[in-house]
Amino acid sequence: MDEDKELVERTLKGEEEAFVMIIQKYQTSLFNYMGRMVGERELALDFTQEVLIRTYSSLHTFKPQYKFRTWLFKIASNFVIDYWRKKKLDTYSTDQPFGDDEKASFQIPDDEPSIAKKYELVQLKERIEQALKKIPPSLRELFVWRHINDFSYDEMAEIKGLPVGTVKNRVFQAKELIRSLLEKNT
Amino acid sequence: MRCLKADQIYLYLEKELTPTEFQKIKEHLTSCPKCQKAVEERKILLQASENLPLWEIPPDFARQVMERISPKKVTLRSWLTAAAAGLFSISLALSIFFVFSGENFLEVVFGLGHRLLDLVRTASVLLVKVFKLASLLIKVINQFLGFLFKGLIRLTSILNPEVQIILIVLTVILSVTLIFGVRRKFVGGEKS
């Protein structure tokens, strides 16, 4: 049995310390995901707390055949979707297609300008963060999971209930969108 | 092999390709400066993306979550502790008062006790008198009503029914006149 499942089992038996260990293990990744999705530190902290409380109260429904991290981030993702819906922001939909996912083409033009080399690494990171705020939340979510939370494409596909190919294409779209935004700002 | 597309470059950089596909791209890159430049560009962007600064979480975050999950219950032990602390505070305050005022603690306590005892004694004597008076009043009212009842019975046995009716009517008229007279006197008095 893996560590997470053991901690879940111990929590369900009433050992609160086991859930503290779960929190400590996932708090940073969850908070960084929330932070990038809502953009405000305090709100992100509140939401991270809420997600962990929801996770605790529905721990009995967790099925050990699934990966705990996938299950946890599914709760987090649904929480963020509810938040956007309540705010009535129609920009957010997890299933919102961006062109034809499977046939999305990323041809490289002959005169493609170099963006990356123009900035120092610190500057480049700042600009990526700024560009990240401007891309559609559904693409941002996948980008954050892939590059900040270090998720595999399989895990992301499981969380979103999408084919792996679609997830890969959306992550590429997110990266190319960020790149084009950086290009426009130069 | 044709020039690479952006998605192929990402798959190549993230090592998400089969060994054959990976080898094909690697061979193409040796002979294509345009694709080399595109790969280099995305490699830097990818490295920067993977090393974005992490938002720091407060050190007591887990405790905050746990406090919301299971707020601390107020146990009997904590109640007892609070009571003991209260008692201790009162004792301390009294000790400080007696030390600084120079009063004798025992004298003050005995003095208060005596005053309390006097109060109880006076109140109990008063209460006994009130009870005696009340019982006497009840006895007098009871006897008066008894006499009234007996007198009425004797009167009704002497008088015939017509006279009884006339007497009742006269009594009612007299009572009403008396009540209204008294009321008018009081109301008139208030107006003046």
Side-chain angles (χ1 to χ4, degrees):
Chain A
M1 190 189 287
D2 72 19
E3 190 197 13
D4 286 349
K5 282 164 194 168
E6 194 191 317
L7 289 172
V8 169
E9 212 164 83
R10 280 167 55 194
T11 308
L12 288 171
K13 282 177 186 165
E15 202 182 314
E16 286 190 351
E17 195 52 40
F19 196 69
V20 172
M21 288 165 82
I22 291 176
I23 296 173
Q24 283 166 346
K25 188 174 178 183
Y26 291 108
Q27 60 184 13
T28 305
S29 54
L30 208 51
F31 176 53
N32 273 274
Y33 161 69
M34 279 296 178
R36 261 70 177 208
M37 294 312 287
V38 299
E40 292 170 42
R41 186 182 161 81
E42 288 308 312
L43 196 59
L45 272 174
D46 278 354
F47 284 6
T48 309
Q49 275 198 14
E50 283 301 325
V51 167
L52 286 164
I53 290 163
R54 278 191 190 187
T55 305
Y56 181 86
S57 54
S58 51
L59 216 53
H60 61 282
T61 64
F62 171 68
K63 288 172 185 158
Q65 63 261 38
Y66 297 112
K67 210 171 169 182
F68 180 76
R69 182 164 84 153
T70 314
W71 185 70
L72 173 68
F73 275 83
K74 197 177 240 176
I75 295 173
S77 180
N78 288 337
F79 187 92
V80 173
I81 293 167
D82 284 347
Y83 167 69
W84 287 94
R85 276 191 190 140
K86 275 176 198 162
K87 282 198 90 180
K88 293 187 175 133
L89 293 177
D90 55 0
T91 49
Y92 192 82
S93 163
T94 46
D95 301 320
Q96 182 187 332
F98 295 89
D100 193 337
D101 280 323
E102 299 303 329
K103 290 174 188 172
S105 176
F106 306 108
Q107 291 285 1
I108 309 287
D110 290 335
D111 55 347
E112 188 183 66
S114 173
I115 310 299
K117 285 178 183 171
K118 283 189 178 175
Y119 302 109
E120 292 287 320
L121 188 63
V122 179
Q123 272 182 311
L124 188 62
K125 284 180 190 174
E126 280 171 12
R127 286 183 179 262
I128 290 172
E129 288 274 16
Q130 284 164 9
L132 199 53
K133 289 176 190 166
K134 291 176 188 165
I135 68 169
S138 56
L139 294 186
R140 195 190 316 155
E141 179 176 61
L142 296 175
F143 179 91
V144 171
W145 282 343
R146 178 69 185 161
H147 296 298
I148 296 174
N149 295 150
D150 208 18
F151 277 47
S152 71
Y153 286 115
D154 287 336
E155 279 178 296
M156 289 152 72
E158 199 184 315
I159 296 171
K160 299 308 291 180
L162 292 168
V164 178
T166 307
V167 172
K168 279 182 181 175
N169 260 301
R170 289 189 182 178
V171 176
F172 303 153
Q173 282 182 52
K175 283 186 273 206
E176 283 302 285
L177 261 175
I178 288 171
R179 205 196 158 280
S180 67
L181 284 166
L182 293 180
E183 201 177 301
K184 279 176 197 166
N185 286 339
T186 51
Chain B
M1 188 186 179
R2 282 184 184 178
C3 275
L4 302 174
K5 289 179 184 173
D7 52 332
Q8 284 177 302
I9 296 175
Y10 288 124
L11 289 172
Y12 170 76
L13 289 171
E14 291 181 32
K15 297 183 175 64
E16 291 277 334
L17 293 167
T18 60
T20 324
E21 287 168 329
F22 188 81
Q23 198 54 41
K24 270 186 190 173
I25 290 175
K26 209 174 174 183
E27 278 169 20
H28 173 75
L29 286 173
T30 54
S31 59
C32 180
K34 181 194 147 192
C35 287
Q36 274 176 26
K37 190 186 155 206
V39 168
E40 197 53 37
E41 173 84 2
R42 279 156 187 83
K43 194 177 176 181
I44 295 168
L45 281 173
L46 208 60
Q47 280 171 348
S49 302
E50 282 168 355
N51 291 292
L52 289 177
L54 288 177
W55 292 24
E56 292 273 327
I57 200 148
D60 61 342
F61 181 78
R63 186 189 54 78
Q64 285 175 20
V65 177
M66 289 315 289
E67 270 178 12
R68 284 188 62 191
I69 285 171
S70 52
K72 279 178 188 163
K73 288 161 197 156
V74 183
T75 57
L76 181 66
R77 199 177 165 182
S78 58
W79 277 112
L80 286 173
T81 313
L87 214 66
F88 176 75
S89 307
I90 292 165
S91 311
L92 191 71
L94 283 172
S95 308
I96 292 166
F97 169 75
F98 286 116
V99 165
F100 285 99
S101 64
E103 296 270 352
N104 188 324
F105 176 71
L106 285 173
E107 273 178 16
V108 172
V109 170
F110 279 127
L112 277 173
H114 276 300
R115 276 179 201 168
L116 200 70
L117 212 65
D118 283 344
L119 192 75
V120 170
R121 205 177 291 155
T122 317
S124 58
V125 169
L126 202 72
L127 269 173
V128 168
K129 280 180 180 172
V130 166
F131 272 121
K132 272 183 181 173
L133 202 70
S135 61
L136 202 68
L137 201 69
I138 289 164
K139 265 184 189 172
V140 169
I141 291 169
N142 199 21
Q143 275 182 355
F144 172 75
L145 286 174
F147 282 129
L148 192 74
F149 191 63
K150 277 178 188 168
L152 279 171
I153 290 170
R154 195 160 289 173
L155 203 67
T156 47
S157 61
I158 297 165
L159 300 170
N160 58 32
E162 287 83 10
V163 179
Q164 281 180 36
I165 291 166
I166 292 164
L167 273 175
I168 290 166
V169 171
L170 279 172
T171 313
V172 170
I173 291 167
L174 197 69
S175 308
V176 170
T177 318
L178 265 171
I179 290 163
F180 272 94
V182 170
R183 196 169 162 253
R184 200 171 295 162
K185 196 177 180 184
F186 274 104
V187 174
E190 276 173 13
K191 275 179 184 172
S192 64

